Amino acid sequence: MKNIFITGVTSYLGKNLLNKLDQHNVYGLINKTHLDPKKNFVPLNLNLDDLNLFFNQKGIDTLIHLASNSSGFYEDNIESLVNVNVQLSNKILQATKNSTVKKVIYSGSYLQNVKQNPLNFYSISKQIFENLLENFTVKNNIQSVSIQFGDIFGKGDSRDKLIPYLLTNEDKSQVKFKSNGLGCFSPIHISDATDLIISEIESPFINKFEKKVGFTKIISVKEFVHLYKKIRNKSFESIFNTEDPVEEMVINFQGTYYVPEISLEKSISEL
């Protein structure tokens, strides 16, 4: 049984992960969203300056950092992206110094492997913290992993994301999109995402930093919408925004894509 501390526990990924951690003692950092305590879970509204003391008092051995700001990818939101994805994240990481925490699991992004014009400052902020995490790991004798997730989806997802939007509008004759469809998309089912984290929780301790692939083949939004219509047998007309400035993506990823346990066809058809 592990003593686990989760940031971003009220997120879609966080809630679904929490449901799979019945065999562990879990503490979750919450802000504005309420979560009820459970037999093995305690929600906390802690001052970040008190984290190190809390880690030691509770014997926290694993930190799972899911909290991030993904609203607004471009220049008009740089300050907010840096404040949350870099500065706040680094403050949480620094709190593990001289503590019982020996493993840090970070929710990265597949967008760190994609270049687009205009620049995506969300992916840049995620990469900056990943670099900080790697450097911190080497200096502080811990284990850390950055799982670069794709676009997570599944049942019960009410976020302002592509797949929930499609589900809401799929029976209309026309579906309008804010983008031009040239942006990237990499679907991964929520059960695959949570299982990837659990496998890292249960892995033996090794003093090193690793990057793990948590995304499937990167395609364009247009390609995915076409697949979605085919899988769910829908015939709506897709109307993309031709004034969107995003240019075609350049993929820098040279590794092996994640192979999901549940096929895209099955997971999409069962939504």
Side-chain angles (χ1 to χ4, degrees):
M1 178 178 284
K2 305 278 188 181
N3 294 321
I4 299 171
F5 188 89
I6 305 176
T7 71
V9 71
T10 60
S11 66
Y12 181 65
L13 176 56
K15 289 177 181 177
N16 280 274
L17 175 63
L18 181 60
N19 290 335
K20 291 186 174 182
L21 296 179
D22 290 342
Q23 303 305 311
H24 301 286
N25 297 317
V26 184
Y27 303 88
L29 187 63
I30 63 171
N31 187 8
K32 297 177 182 178
T33 305
H34 176 77
L35 270 186
D36 291 326
K38 301 197 301 186
K39 183 178 180 181
N40 72 314
F41 170 67
V42 180
L44 300 163
N45 194 342
L46 280 177
N47 187 307
L48 296 186
D49 292 332
D50 298 327
L51 279 182
N52 179 267
L53 177 62
F54 180 83
F55 290 160
N56 285 315
Q57 287 178 336
K58 298 297 182 181
I60 302 298
D61 47 63
T62 304
L63 167 64
I64 302 175
H65 184 38
L66 308 180
S68 70
N69 178 1
S70 60
S71 61
F73 282 13
Y74 304 113
E75 288 93 335
D76 56 351
N77 202 39
I78 291 176
E79 184 176 355
S80 179
L81 290 169
V82 171
N83 285 345
V84 176
N85 298 346
V86 180
Q87 294 179 339
L88 181 142
S89 294
N90 189 52
K91 190 164 187 176
I92 292 169
L93 180 62
Q94 294 298 323
T96 67
K97 274 187 177 181
N98 303 314
S99 78
T100 54
V101 176
K102 291 300 178 185
K103 183 179 291 187
V104 177
I105 301 169
Y106 172 56
S107 172
S109 171
Y110 77 104
L111 293 171
Q112 295 166 226
N113 300 281
V114 178
K115 283 189 177 179
Q116 286 185 284
N117 187 23
L119 287 174
N120 181 327
F121 286 98
Y122 167 73
S123 61
I124 293 172
S125 67
K126 297 290 279 187
Q127 185 60 51
I128 290 172
F129 180 71
E130 186 177 283
N131 293 342
L132 291 171
L133 177 60
E134 181 175 10
N135 183 65
F136 184 90
T137 300
V138 172
K139 291 183 176 180
N140 291 277
N141 193 36
I142 64 168
Q143 177 182 3
S144 68
V145 58
S146 173
I147 307 175
Q148 295 181 342
F149 284 115
D151 294 288
I152 297 171
F153 72 95
K155 292 182 178 180
D157 186 1
S158 59
R159 298 173 298 162
D160 183 19
K161 301 289 184 180
L162 178 59
I163 293 179
Y165 178 73
L166 287 169
L167 283 170
T168 301
N169 295 280
E170 64 182 9
D171 292 323
K172 296 180 178 179
S173 59
Q174 295 181 334
V175 176
K176 296 182 179 180
F177 298 89
K178 295 178 182 178
S179 77
N180 59 17
L182 298 179
C184 48
F185 200 73
S186 174
I188 177 172
H189 194 268
I190 184 65
S191 65
D192 285 312
T194 52
D195 286 348
L196 277 168
I197 295 175
I198 289 170
S199 69
E200 294 302 325
I201 293 172
E202 297 174 347
S203 68
F205 174 80
I206 304 173
N207 175 215
K208 68 176 182 178
F209 167 82
E210 292 182 284
K211 281 190 283 191
K212 296 289 181 73
V213 175
F215 54 92
T216 55
K217 183 180 179 180
I218 303 170
I219 58 177
S220 72
V221 170
K222 277 188 177 180
E223 289 176 294
F224 176 76
V225 172
H226 176 75
L227 281 173
Y228 178 96
K229 290 166 66 175
K230 183 178 180 181
I231 292 169
R232 293 184 64 83
N233 193 28
K234 300 297 177 181
S235 58
F236 59 81
E237 179 187 2
S238 304
I239 301 176
F240 293 95
N241 179 10
T242 57
E243 296 182 359
D244 181 13
V246 172
E247 298 177 3
E248 288 193 60
M249 56 191 171
V250 177
I251 302 171
N252 298 321
F253 181 65
Q254 302 295 325
T256 302
Y257 287 109
Y258 176 72
V259 179
E261 293 292 326
I262 305 172
S263 70
L264 182 62
E265 290 75 13
K266 180 176 173 62
S267 58
I268 292 293
S269 64
E270 292 181 349
L271 287 174

